[in-house]
Amino acid sequence: LLLLNRFSTPVALAIAERQADILIWMSIALTGGIVVWWYITTLTSRPLLQLRATSGEVAAGNLDVIIPAYQSRTEVGELYEAFRKMVSDIRVSRAEIEEYNRTLEQRIAERTQEVQSLLDNMDEGLFTVAVDGKIYPRYSAATVEMLGELNETSNFIERISDNEDDRQAVQETFELLLALILHDLCPNIQQ
C-alpha cells in the first residue's frame, strides 16, 4: 500500500484515503478472529485439561475424585461421560473386590471345615501323599483307623510295609507316576 501511495494513480489515491479505515477494519477482524479462536479453543481444551488432571488422579488410585458433569453433545462431552461411567464402574468393582477380600478368609475356613467334616464322615481312607511318601495333614478319619495315629512326619511308604524292598518299590512307583504326570502336563520340561 505504501508503494502504491508513491504513484499518483487514482486507485492509489483512493487506497491512501481509505488506508486508515482498512487498517482499523482489518485489526477489528483479526482481533475478532483471535477472540473466536480463543473461545473455541477454551471450550474444548478446558474440559480436556480437567479430564487429563482427573485421569491422572484416577491412575494414581484416587477413585474418590469428583468428575464434574460436562453438558455438551460434542465428542468431548461424550468422552467426558464415558470417563465418568468408567470411573463409576471401577468404584463398584473395587467395592465388590474389597467385600470379597473381607469375607475370603471366613469362607476359606468354612470350606476347610466342610471338607474336613466330609473326610471325617467317610468310611474310606482318603489322604494325599507326596512323592517322598509324606502324608499331608488333611485326611479322613478312616485313614487313622487304617494306618494308625498320624502326625506331620508320618510317611505312607514306611507304614505300608516293614520290608525295605517293598518300600523301595513303592517309592520308585511314586517317582515314575509323578514323572509320567509331569510329562503329560508339561511335555517340554526335561527332568
Side-chain angles (χ1 to χ4, degrees), residues 2-55:
L2 296 176
L3 286 176
L4 291 176
N5 281 339
R6 291 192 178 161
F7 301 104
S8 302
T9 63
V11 173
L13 291 175
I15 290 175
E17 291 173 5
R18 306 273 302 162
Q19 188 173 15
D21 291 338
I22 291 171
L23 286 174
I24 289 171
W25 285 108
M26 285 177 62
S27 297
I28 291 171
L30 181 61
T31 303
I34 290 172
V35 168
V36 168
W37 173 82
W38 175 81
Y39 178 73
I40 290 172
T41 302
T42 302
L43 273 177
T44 56
S45 66
R46 184 176 298 146
L48 290 175
L49 291 173
Q50 282 179 322
L51 193 60
R52 183 178 72 181
T54 304
S55 67

Side-chain angles (χ1 to χ4, degrees), residues 57-114:
E57 287 190 46
V58 170
N62 181 10
L63 294 178
D64 298 325
V65 67
I66 296 172
I67 305 168
Y70 183 75
Q71 304 298 326
S72 176
R73 296 189 84 113
T74 64
E75 289 85 1
V76 174
E78 290 175 11
L79 178 64
Y80 230 83
E81 287 309 308
F83 184 74
R84 285 170 53 100
K85 182 175 180 343
M86 179 191 72
V87 171
S88 175
D89 291 347
I90 291 172
R91 285 178 186 146
V92 169
S93 295
R94 179 179 67 175
E96 290 172 353
I97 289 171
E98 286 173 354
E99 176 63 21
Y100 183 81
N101 285 339
R102 190 180 63 76
T103 62
L104 183 61
E105 285 187 31
Q106 177 185 351
R107 286 186 285 165
I108 290 173
E110 289 170 359
R111 296 297 185 266
T112 302
Q113 189 170 355
E114 288 172 7

Side-chain angles (χ1 to χ4, degrees), residues 75-182:
E75 289 85 1
V76 174
E78 290 175 11
L79 178 64
Y80 230 83
E81 287 309 308
F83 184 74
R84 285 170 53 100
K85 182 175 180 343
M86 179 191 72
V87 171
S88 175
D89 291 347
I90 291 172
R91 285 178 186 146
V92 169
S93 295
R94 179 179 67 175
E96 290 172 353
I97 289 171
E98 286 173 354
E99 176 63 21
Y100 183 81
N101 285 339
R102 190 180 63 76
T103 62
L104 183 61
E105 285 187 31
Q106 177 185 351
R107 286 186 285 165
I108 290 173
E110 289 170 359
R111 296 297 185 266
T112 302
Q113 189 170 355
E114 288 172 7
V115 168
Q116 190 61 49
S117 176
L118 181 69
L119 288 173
D120 289 343
N121 291 308
M122 296 179 82
D123 290 335
E124 290 84 22
L126 184 63
F127 56 97
T128 306
V129 179
V131 175
D132 64 355
K134 180 182 174 192
I135 299 174
Y136 286 105
R138 300 274 180 237
Y139 43 83
S140 67
T143 303
V144 175
E145 292 174 19
M146 293 176 185
L147 297 178
E149 199 59 41
L150 301 173
N151 59 34
E152 61 273 346
T153 62
S154 297
N155 189 297
F156 175 72
I157 298 171
E158 293 172 2
R159 299 256 177 147
I160 60 169
S161 177
D162 292 333
N163 184 327
E164 186 59 37
D165 290 336
D166 292 343
R167 289 180 183 175
Q168 186 64 31
V170 171
Q171 178 69 40
E172 290 172 1
T173 303
F174 277 3
E175 291 172 1
L176 179 63
L177 286 172
L178 180 64
L180 290 172
I181 291 170
L182 286 177

